[in-house]
Amino acid sequence: MDPWKLPISSAIQRKRLLSQSYTSHASASPSDLACADRASDVIYLLLIEPQVITSKFSVFSFLFVIGAQNAWDILLEEESMTRITTSCAELDKILGGGISCKEVTEIGGVPGIGKTQLGIQLAVNVQIPCYYGGLGGKAIYIDTEGSFMVERVLQIAEACTEDMAEYGRFLGKSIQARQVEMGPKDFLENIYYFRVCSYTEQIGLENYLDKFISEHRDVKIIVIDSVAFQFRQDFDDLAQRTRVLSAMALKLMKLAKKFSLAVVLLNQVTTKVIEGSFQLALALGDSWSHSCTNRLILYWNGDERYAYIDKSPSLRSASAPYSVTSRGIRNSSSNS
Amino acid sequence: MGSSNKAQIAGTGSEALFVSHKPSVFLSPAFICRILPTRPDRRAPNSFPVSTATAPAPIEGEKAMTALKSLEQEFPLLDINFQSFCASHSILTIADFLTHDLHSLAAAAESQPASLRLKEGISQVLSIVDTLHQPWLDGLELLQDAMDNKRVLSTGIAAVDSFLHGGLRVGQLTELAGPSSSGKTQLCLRLASSVAKMDRGSVVYVDTGNSFSSRRIHHFLCENGGPPSKQDDTGIVQRVMSRILRHSVFDINLLFNVLHQLEFILGSQECMEGCKVQLLIVDSVSSLITPILGGGSSQGYSLMASLGVLLKKLAHEHDIAILVTNHMVGGERGNPKPALGESWKSIPHVRLLLSCDYETNTCNISTLKHPSLAAGRSASFVID
């Protein structure tokens, strides 16, 4: 297999191989190629396994195996995946069972509507053990505003433990014996909390997350509260802000996909002039609005809190009431 | 061989990135590829000898990257002396040769001992290059090609099909712009399921926002095809869905990688009848390009341009319809406009604008640019 026949992405990579005398697969040992740093995995595999490319058909299937998945397999995989419950039955219903892993979900709303509460609730709920129908994972909580109240987390965690105990009694004693190991303190222990005080820290942290999560594979959710706060100041050049933000969005997408975890971004609202009138819109502008997979808007409808699915590739737009109680996010009081 | 020259080539255009880990620009070879033969199926010009008999045929369009070394057998003038002379000017392939300043090369050859033979070698390579131009086609042949290969792919939505006179044209690059949650991804998914089902072709879906929803595809497929409960229906749905391939791509270099792999596969795909790739969707292309644009550097713009060239090349040569999505940004006086700026505008053949009325859930599609339809028309439809 000669280098100029390989599906190498750039002429420069190809040239590099040629310039280092890799004129055929026989002349290159795998360790040499590992040093040729920009040679992609594809070439590497092709070169060490020349028998794979004996027929054209196997080239087709072999290359398409790398990184590609067909829709049927994705469907089967998606259906077997557990979602993270929000502890509010109606909200779960419109979300198709809860917050989905492998996706980036943006949650926005006016101050005091319960964004942080929902964030904390999710960070606790992700830890519900598998035998209670949860994920048994851990959470990363990135706090940019300083609104994370640890007493509140303890409160929600206690409520969650009580609910689990009740559920355990309902299911029978076999589970009750096991649930002893999960107390409110354990919930707190499994939340990795990062405080971020500037946008450079935030970008730095997001670059570091890849490494951190590789070492903590059981992290199943990243909550960023709020994604906008640090980016709403100190930026003279808005074009630069757009670039930085869209690069950040891609990084979060990549994390979500690579480690099969949910990314939840809490966002603030801002006023925007649309056709002469002031309207509420999510912060960070139009180009940011494309950088999430799902978007959930929280709003007041009279005295009741409502959540509305504003964007989702797979869910219908719908709204559902919820309430914030001392025990966390729960069903709306008027319905229960 | 040539590795000692890395430092000195760092000044010449695309090679400037040779030593860096930044996204690589390969504008010049891409440009070269355009002028070298790419469609050997009609009036094939001389092809280069393949150095080993067992190796598969070289990828068409990649002959510019043929090493000078492999030409030695057929052209004895290009001997080892000539090769090492070229290598000392960091010329290893035909493409290098064309992008090099030939006057300075000839001047350098003067100072060599065998200067006459070297100069003959240079003109030999140039005459090889001369025989490699694209064959010409007359209008009748073009029409025949258009009728045979450049079909339209139905989008699966009647209103959009009649709006576009049948659907998406094969061989063209179509851009779909629209604000967030205006139905761009839904239209892409709809199109993917329609092509996989009706045209029995493969669909490659490049996903940059984790927004590929197999559930929606399943929904679209079952919608017109009766209840999926029956055993054989499930089999059909499974077969159709396995023709849709999703690549998750989160940076532009990976996108280039995927596209080059695709090109490679399509080049050697004659045996894959009945499973031809007919549609390529990139949803969304703007989220990959936005992070590299601007900032006082022109590198992002050249990457964007080479992406456009590559996409159009794929579409034209392999008879694929390509759909990319673009988002909207605030323009003058707050009016939204498609992102990626002026230089992107000229790249797609067709540009469509999508908007959505949230109260009635109706999507509205209109043309921004179309080679054969009047501008400013629009159509409404609902994606259920």
Side-chain angles (χ1 to χ4, degrees):
Chain A
M1 197 67 175
D2 299 338
W4 53 89
K5 290 176 202 140
L6 291 170
I8 307 174
S9 75
S10 79
I12 289 159
Q13 285 178 14
R14 205 186 299 259
K15 186 165 173 177
R16 192 182 191 106
L17 283 175
L18 282 171
S19 71
Q20 296 180 1
S21 326
Y22 296 129
T23 44
S24 75
H25 66 83
S27 68
S29 74
S31 57
D32 285 344
L33 273 170
C35 302
D37 46 352
R38 291 220 42 181
S40 68
D41 295 345
V42 185
I43 321 164
Y44 181 79
L45 284 168
L46 278 175
L47 285 168
I48 56 169
E49 292 178 50
Q51 72 275 14
V52 179
I53 46 169
T54 44
S55 78
K56 285 176 180 178
F57 183 81
S58 63
V59 170
F60 183 86
S61 49
F62 174 63
L63 286 175
F64 256 39
V65 165
I66 301 170
Q69 246 185 322
N70 73 46
W72 181 254
D73 295 343
I74 297 171
L75 182 72
L76 296 183
E77 191 189 312
E78 261 178 29
E79 279 177 354
S80 66
M81 223 148 53
T82 316
R83 288 167 173 252
I84 304 166
T85 171
T86 58
S87 291
C88 167
E90 285 173 56
L91 203 51
D92 281 353
K93 197 174 148 201
I94 62 164
L95 285 168
I99 302 289
S100 168
C101 287
K102 285 196 175 182
E103 285 177 7
V104 176
T105 307
E106 183 179 29
I107 300 174
V110 293
I113 190 75
K115 296 189 295 292
T116 303
Q117 301 298 321
L118 188 51
I120 294 173
Q121 184 74 57
L122 288 170
V124 168
N125 284 355
V126 74
Q127 302 174 40
I128 298 174
C130 300
Y131 45 87
Y132 288 111
L135 273 139
K138 291 183 181 178
I140 290 179
Y141 200 99
I142 300 171
D143 187 7
T144 66
E145 297 182 14
S147 55
F148 187 82
M149 304 299 288
V150 70
E151 298 87 347
R152 182 71 182 133
V153 184
L154 189 64
Q155 223 173 14
I156 291 175
E158 275 166 357
C160 187
T161 340
E162 282 166 27
D163 286 353
M164 278 183 352
E166 196 176 314
Y167 187 57
R169 272 195 295 281
F170 176 70
L171 282 184
K173 281 184 182 169
S174 59
I175 284 175
Q176 212 175 358
R178 278 194 281 173
Q179 67 95 25
V180 181
E181 61 207 53
M182 198 80 183
K185 295 271 160 54
D186 300 308
F187 277 102
L188 291 189
E189 208 173 66
N190 288 338
I191 298 177
Y192 303 110
Y193 172 83
F194 293 91
R195 177 78 171 93
V196 167
C197 298
S198 73
Y199 69 87
T200 45
E201 275 183 39
Q202 189 169 338
I203 296 166
L205 174 61
E206 273 146 22
N207 292 344
Y208 166 68
L209 279 180
D210 193 293
K211 185 164 172 281
F212 182 82
I213 299 169
S214 317
E215 290 160 4
H216 300 81
R217 286 280 178 166
D218 41 4
V219 169
K220 282 291 157 217
I221 191 170
I222 302 174
V223 181
I224 304 184
D225 178 19
S226 74
V227 72
F229 187 70
Q230 301 295 352
F231 287 91
R232 295 183 77 174
Q233 54 198 352
D234 295 341
F235 266 97
D236 300 328
D237 181 4
L238 281 179
Q240 190 200 359
R241 189 181 84 165
T242 309
R243 273 201 304 284
V244 169
L245 279 172
S246 50
M248 192 176 93
L250 281 176
K251 243 173 253 158
L252 291 172
M253 290 281 178
K254 194 174 177 179
L255 281 178
K257 180 76 180 26
K258 185 173 170 191
F259 298 104
S260 178
L261 48 79
V263 176
V264 174
L265 310 172
L266 308 180
N267 197 355
Q268 300 168 330
V269 287
T270 179
T271 48
K272 190 179 165 189
V273 186
I274 299 170
E275 288 158 4
S277 67
F278 287 95
Q279 290 186 7
L280 285 179
L282 288 187
L284 298 180
D286 284 338
S287 43
W288 172 259
S289 66
H290 294 267
S291 34
C292 55
T293 320
N294 306 302
R295 184 163 49 241
L296 197 62
I297 305 277
L298 308 180
Y299 64 99
W300 287 102
N301 185 1
D303 287 343
E304 255 188 312
R305 292 176 159 100
Y306 270 76
Y308 171 73
I309 297 183
D310 184 48
K311 174 187 174 183
S312 164
S314 54
L315 302 166
R316 224 163 263 286
S317 49
S319 54
Y322 69 97
S323 64
V324 179
T325 67
S326 60
R327 296 165 64 84
I329 305 285
R330 288 295 180 268
N331 286 351
S332 171
S333 48
S334 61
N335 297 40
S336 57
Chain B
M1 184 164 78
S3 55
S4 59
N5 293 308
K6 268 182 212 164
Q8 78 192 52
I9 55 171
T12 58
S14 63
E15 277 79 13
L17 292 141
F18 192 75
V19 285
S20 78
H21 282 252
K22 294 284 176 218
S24 48
V25 183
F26 49 102
L27 248 193
S28 44
F31 171 68
I32 296 306
C33 288
R34 302 296 300 168
I35 59 168
L36 287 180
T38 44
R39 306 201 78 172
D41 45 322
R42 40 186 111 94
R43 297 182 191 179
N46 302 336
S47 51
F48 286 118
V50 179
S51 55
T52 48
T54 51
I59 319 153
E60 302 307 335
E62 295 295 324
K63 283 196 188 107
M65 294 312 296
T66 309
L68 291 176
K69 205 174 172 180
S70 64
L71 294 172
E72 191 180 345
Q73 279 180 353
E74 198 175 319
F75 305 98
L77 258 179
L78 313 179
D79 53 9
I80 187 77
N81 184 29
F82 182 76
Q83 283 168 33
S84 58
F85 166 69
C86 287
S88 70
H89 288 83
S90 73
I91 298 172
L92 297 163
T93 65
I94 295 282
D96 296 336
F97 198 87
L98 286 176
T99 48
H100 206 86
D101 181 0
L102 291 178
H103 290 290
S104 66
L105 193 68
E110 288 285 354
S111 60
Q112 296 285 324
S115 66
L116 204 63
R117 197 171 158 76
L118 283 180
K119 279 202 270 187
E120 273 174 28
I122 293 174
S123 48
Q124 171 84 75
V125 176
L126 284 177
S127 69
I128 295 172
V129 171
D130 281 350
T131 61
L132 294 181
H133 62 83
Q134 280 273 17
W136 56 270
L137 292 171
D138 61 28
L140 217 55
E141 283 172 299
L142 278 175
L143 185 66
Q144 191 64 41
D145 181 47
M147 278 158 56
D148 290 350
N149 299 320
K150 307 286 190 258
R151 304 175 303 112
V152 285
L153 299 177
S154 160
T155 57
I157 304 165
V160 179
D161 281 354
S162 68
F163 172 67
L164 293 173
H165 288 222
L168 242 62
R169 190 166 264 275
V170 162
Q172 287 191 340
L173 174 61
T174 307
E175 173 194 339
L176 187 62
S180 175
S181 75
S182 60
K184 297 189 296 296
T185 301
Q186 295 303 318
L187 195 59
C188 289
L189 294 171
R190 183 86 223 198
L191 180 67
S193 46
S194 157
V195 169
K197 188 177 178 186
M198 301 302 176
D199 298 279
R200 302 182 185 283
S202 292
V203 178
V204 178
Y205 197 108
V206 177
D207 181 16
T208 70
N210 293 352
S211 57
F212 180 85
S213 168
S214 52
R215 236 170 258 212
R216 284 299 281 175
I217 296 223
H218 191 254
H219 169 81
F220 290 141
L221 289 174
C222 295
E223 195 176 46
N224 317 331
S229 52
K230 284 181 229 154
Q231 191 66 47
D232 49 332
D233 271 4
T234 317
I236 292 169
V237 169
Q238 179 180 355
R239 265 204 304 284
V240 171
M241 285 184 77
S242 49
R243 285 203 285 266
I244 303 174
L245 294 168
R246 191 261 315 251
H247 272 277
S248 284
V249 167
F250 301 107
D251 92 60
I252 187 131
N253 294 312
L254 270 175
L255 177 62
F256 276 115
N257 246 328
V258 168
L259 294 178
H260 280 277
Q261 276 182 37
L262 186 66
E263 197 184 2
F264 176 72
I265 292 158
L266 291 171
S268 58
Q269 208 203 9
E270 296 89 342
C271 57
M272 296 301 292
E273 288 298 327
C275 193
K276 191 187 172 308
V277 177
Q278 297 199 323
L279 175 68
L280 169 68
I281 296 176
V282 184
D283 180 26
S284 74
V285 77
S286 50
S287 64
L288 294 180
I289 296 178
T290 317
I292 56 165
L293 277 193
S297 150
S298 61
Q299 199 193 348
Y301 290 97
S302 55
L303 275 173
M304 183 169 84
S306 30
L307 180 65
V309 167
L310 182 58
L311 286 174
K312 285 170 93 165
K313 183 176 168 225
L314 274 175
H316 173 69
E317 281 167 14
H318 302 287
D319 297 324
I320 306 174
I322 300 186
L323 180 67
V324 300
T325 63
N326 189 0
H327 67 239
M328 306 287 274
V329 292
E332 291 152 35
R333 295 192 299 275
N335 292 327
K337 58 167 190 183
L340 301 182
E342 291 294 318
S343 45
W344 173 259
K345 272 188 185 172
S346 60
I347 294 176
H349 295 102
V350 180
R351 305 184 76 211
L352 303 170
L353 182 68
L354 204 61
S355 60
C356 186
D357 183 348
Y358 298 103
E359 266 154 42
T360 56
N361 219 358
T362 321
C363 296
N364 197 296
I365 192 165
S366 59
T367 49
L368 291 173
K369 170 183 170 184
H370 198 290
S372 57
L373 295 180
R377 292 164 67 239
S378 69
S380 298
F381 62 95
V382 179
I383 295 184
D384 187 29

